[in-house]
Amino acid sequence: MNQITVLGATGSIGVSTLDVIEQHSHEYNIFALTGNKKIPLLAEQCAKFNPKYAVVVDAEAAADLVSLLTQNHVSTQVLVGTDALASVSSHEDVDIVMAAIVGSAGLIPTLAAASAGKKVLLANKESLVMAGNLLMQAADKSGATLLPIDSEHNAIFQCLPRDIKSLSKGGVSKLLLSASGGPFRGWSLGDMGEVTQEQACAHPNWSMGQKISVDSATLMNKGLELIEACWLFDVTCDQVDIVVHPQSIIHSLVQYVDGSVLAQMGNPDMRTPIAHALAWPNRITSGVSDLNLAEIARLDFEEPDLVNFPSLGLAYEAARVGLDAPVVLNASNEIAVQAFLDGRIGFTQIAEVVADTMAHAIFKEPDSLSGVQESDKEARARSAEIILRVQR
Ligand code: NAD
Ligand code: MG
């Protein structure tokens, strides 16, 4: 029986993970579930999966959860705070950790899982963007297996030869990262000035949490994924091409020196990469319906639009600069996206805030976790100041 901790169980990835696990309950057992705001849902999940621990972020949420669990006679023990997130991620009884907290809050528990040698199913791309170096080193040292959940990276992983030491030795010439283009594909910056939160969160193909939905609309998501790919597959950003593919059927591709291009395809449903990584190196069913190519009929491809989606260019810049530029990019983007979701700034101001924050940053090498946290904090403060100046 594999013992699993699901970080961010109440989110979109968390719920899909529990759906796959429920289909294979004779092989996977939930050790711990964690959540932040949706406490009634977390309580329901505890009642269903009976984990040993549930972890929440603050004391108020803990009190609400304890009261719901007691009412329903559920014996799950409730823990609170970041140290508890790290401890259920590194606990000796745990085999697999699904890292599906959104944003920088995922870094500490993901790093704890990687340092403890777990099989880490990595959805929380922000932790790789912030601290790719530390995470990859921690996994190397402990023997942890990092398996990508992000559909594009999971696709690339599936298209690479097993046990490949370096991409060039394996005959790989390029990684091709698919992008749907988001809800505003084909729009101009002017058209996007007045879009609402609902419009930005209405992704044409995927149903996801709010933050990643907004990132998909600005194309910052693809920028974060570019940096994620560089760390996961040990390539430079110039070895990764982004191809816009609006149908989201081809999840990404690998180009080889002999002209072969391998693609991974499937219906856009995160249960496929989740099931793939859970069972890896084996395969299990996911509940996703078979691909009907005749019904899909056509697949389209185009170049990404860097003029009307400046966030993608900012991510390329951060990837090329290296140092703590990705930390600054990520922190500033988190602050700006939240300000947009709160109605304080417009959609196109998200990229403006990030650009302004990056332009005034003095980049330095973040050699430790505390260095990363320092850069993250400074960038958040700078972005918050900029937002105060420009907000509506
Ligand atoms: P979501 O907003 O639906 O869920 C986020 C989860 O994180 C929730 O369980 C929430 O309670 C928890 N959380 C939020 N803030 C927290 C905090 N401060 N401390 C502890 N926990 C906190 O997000 P999602 O769409 O499930 O995405 C999760 C991660 O997976 C993100 O990093 C995202 O980029 C990545 N991802 C998501 C998808 C997708 O289809 N949803 C695809 C690829 C990658
Ligand atoms: Mg993705």
Side-chain angles (χ1 to χ4, degrees), residues 7-15 34-38 56-57 85 99-103 105-106 122-127 149-152 206-213 215 221 224-225 228 270:
L7 300 168
T10 54
S12 160
I13 294 287
V15 167
T34 88
N36 183 18
K37 296 251 153 70
K38 295 181 182 162
V56 291
V57 176
L85 288 175
I101 288 176
V102 61
L122 190 69
N124 176 230
K125 67 192 86 187
E126 294 91 346
S127 60
I149 293 298
D150 217 343
S151 56
E152 297 77 1
W206 299 95
S207 144
M208 310 182 285
Q210 279 193 317
K211 194 255 174 185
I212 183 176
S213 297
D215 285 348
N221 183 49
L224 299 177
E225 290 183 354
E228 182 185 11
M270 290 306 293

Side-chain angles (χ1 to χ4, degrees), residues 200-357:
C201 288
H203 196 280
N205 308 329
W206 299 95
S207 144
M208 310 182 285
Q210 279 193 317
K211 194 255 174 185
I212 183 176
S213 297
V214 176
D215 285 348
S216 300
T218 58
L219 293 201
M220 180 58 92
N221 183 49
K222 214 45 59 183
L224 299 177
E225 290 183 354
L226 169 79
I227 299 170
E228 182 185 11
C230 292
W231 285 116
L232 282 172
F233 304 114
D234 194 18
V235 292
T236 66
C237 61
D238 299 313
Q239 293 168 286
V240 185
D241 279 357
I242 292 170
V243 58
V244 174
H245 162 48
Q247 290 92 353
S248 298
I249 295 297
I250 294 187
H251 299 303
S252 278
L253 317 89
V254 175
Q255 185 181 305
Y256 287 84
V257 288
D258 61 4
S260 300
V261 178
L262 301 192
Q264 186 263 352
M265 303 168 76
N267 283 316
D269 187 322
M270 290 306 293
R271 291 177 300 172
T272 294
I274 291 167
H276 168 264
L278 255 183
W280 185 86
N282 301 315
R283 295 269 179 179
I284 53 172
T285 55
S286 64
V288 176
S289 54
D290 287 348
L291 194 59
N292 184 332
L293 282 172
E295 205 170 88
I296 291 159
R298 58 179 280 178
L299 300 174
D300 296 303
F301 304 95
E302 56 193 65
E303 296 271 350
D305 175 356
L306 288 156
V307 174
N308 291 298
F309 294 89
S311 292
L312 187 52
L314 291 167
Y316 263 106
E317 190 189 321
R320 291 205 176 100
V321 170
L323 303 170
D324 63 352
V327 183
V328 175
L329 177 90
N330 179 67
S332 175
N333 180 59
E334 281 189 30
I335 293 287
V337 168
Q338 193 56 54
F340 167 69
L341 288 170
D342 294 342
R344 295 173 59 205
I345 61 172
F347 180 75
T348 51
Q349 286 179 296
I350 298 172
E352 290 169 14
V353 170
V354 177
D356 200 354
T357 307

